[in-house]
Amino acid sequence: MPRRRGRNLAQGLVEDLGDKIRGQQLRPGDKLPTESAIMQSYGVSRTVVREALSKLQAAGLVETHHGIGTFVLQPRGGGMAGMFRLEAADIAATVDVLAVLELRISLETESAGLAALRRTEEHLLGMREALDEFERNVAAAGDTVSPDFRFHLQIAQATGNPYFADIMTHLGTTLIPRTRVNAIRNHHRGGEYLSRVNREHEEIFAAIARRDPDSARAAMRIHLTNSRERLRLAQEAAQREGAPGGSASAAR
């Protein structure tokens, strides 16, 4: 893909790779080239590549496994996994949620790194229990917000710095985007979204468990960046839907 002036390079890369996935040039299960290979092939920076991969993950087209690589997923619902509708009335709430997610990216990325260095077996047990409850409740269409929050709070507590946990506790479950935007209205589609969230949580947990701070930071950043991107896509779709003649769905 030649470099084009005035064009968002990350979006251009997203479109090109997305077209290859939808056109079956890249098939489900295929491993994408390394970041370095993509940088060389497209003539873009590592930052551009990582932003593009984050957008592709948020769209449900690929999935990254740390230390292994990024793999193409089986497209669902026209190529966007876990699709749902965000009502126009919810748009105002998403502005605040997006701002909170920006704070979380800064706060929790470092929190995950410190947790990997300082966690105890007791902390790991608390994280594991929260993830197991989350998974059970996804299957049973139960409450996933509480175990989601407990997982992130356990990570903050594992840093050994009480201020991380204090901030998390102060914000409470409003940290979880779906508590602020009533957007998951279809259980099957919502289940797909929550299964993706669960996989991202497992990547974070695995890095903390093996005391790998760099991978823990990267996994947390990917998870929260994906959450922000999914919500942004939902917001944009709702805004288009609210326009005259507009109709759209979005992935979060």
Side-chain angles (χ1 to χ4, degrees):
M1 181 184 66
R3 197 164 184 162
R4 301 183 184 180
R5 291 174 180 262
R7 183 180 184 188
N8 183 290
L9 295 175
Q11 187 57 38
L13 182 54
V14 168
E15 291 171 4
D16 190 71
L17 292 174
D19 287 344
K20 288 180 178 178
I21 292 170
R22 286 182 284 269
Q24 295 290 293
Q25 291 172 265
L26 292 169
R27 298 176 178 275
D30 284 355
K31 184 178 179 181
L32 294 186
T34 64
E35 289 183 359
S36 297
I38 296 174
M39 289 165 59
Q40 184 174 1
S41 177
Y42 287 85
V44 296
S45 69
R46 191 175 300 276
T47 299
V48 167
V49 173
R50 289 181 174 175
E51 181 182 346
L53 292 178
S54 178
K55 290 177 182 291
L56 289 169
Q57 287 182 79
L61 294 177
V62 303
E63 185 170 63
T64 296
H65 298 275
H66 295 295
I68 303 175
T70 299
F71 297 85
V72 177
L73 294 176
Q74 178 66 49
R76 298 190 185 97
M80 297 279 278
M83 295 178 72
F84 69 90
R85 295 173 69 85
L86 175 64
E87 300 298 331
D90 291 324
I91 292 176
T94 67
V95 175
D96 184 45
V97 176
L98 287 168
V100 171
L101 281 168
E102 286 183 358
L103 171 64
R104 291 184 65 191
I105 289 170
S106 298
L107 176 73
E108 292 194 67
T109 296
E110 185 58 24
S111 177
L114 291 175
L117 294 171
R118 302 172 181 173
R119 58 79 176 167
T120 65
E121 291 302 315
E122 184 178 357
H123 290 133
L124 280 184
L125 179 60
M127 293 177 209
R128 184 71 265 164
E129 289 175 348
L131 289 181
D132 289 346
E133 183 180 347
F134 185 99
E135 187 173 10
R136 286 194 302 272
N137 289 354
V138 169
D143 170 34
T144 57
V145 171
S146 295
D148 192 332
F149 175 69
R150 285 206 314 278
F151 173 66
H152 285 272
L153 181 59
Q154 282 286 338
I155 292 172
Q157 291 172 340
T159 66
N161 182 332
Y163 293 106
F164 281 100
D166 285 349
I167 293 172
M168 296 286 288
T169 302
H170 174 71
L171 291 171
T173 55
T174 58
L175 284 167
I176 313 303
R178 59 190 176 276
T179 68
R180 304 296 298 278
V181 182
N182 184 24
I184 300 177
R185 296 182 171 86
N186 179 290
H187 169 57
H188 173 67
R189 290 174 177 175
E192 290 174 2
Y193 156 69
L194 291 172
S195 293
R196 287 208 311 279
V197 171
N198 191 44
R199 289 195 295 272
E200 292 170 5
H201 283 164
E202 290 288 352
E203 289 280 345
I204 298 166
F205 176 80
I208 292 173
R210 65 176 182 267
R211 298 188 185 278
D212 184 343
D214 290 340
S215 292
R217 290 187 186 97
M220 182 65 82
R221 179 172 289 276
I222 286 172
H223 170 52
L224 296 177
T225 300
N226 283 352
S227 293
R228 182 180 62 182
E229 181 65 14
R230 287 186 285 258
L231 189 59
R232 186 188 65 78
L233 289 171
Q235 183 188 64
E236 289 181 355
Q239 289 171 330
R240 289 194 299 272
E241 186 177 70
S247 179
S249 293
R252 171 174 158 211

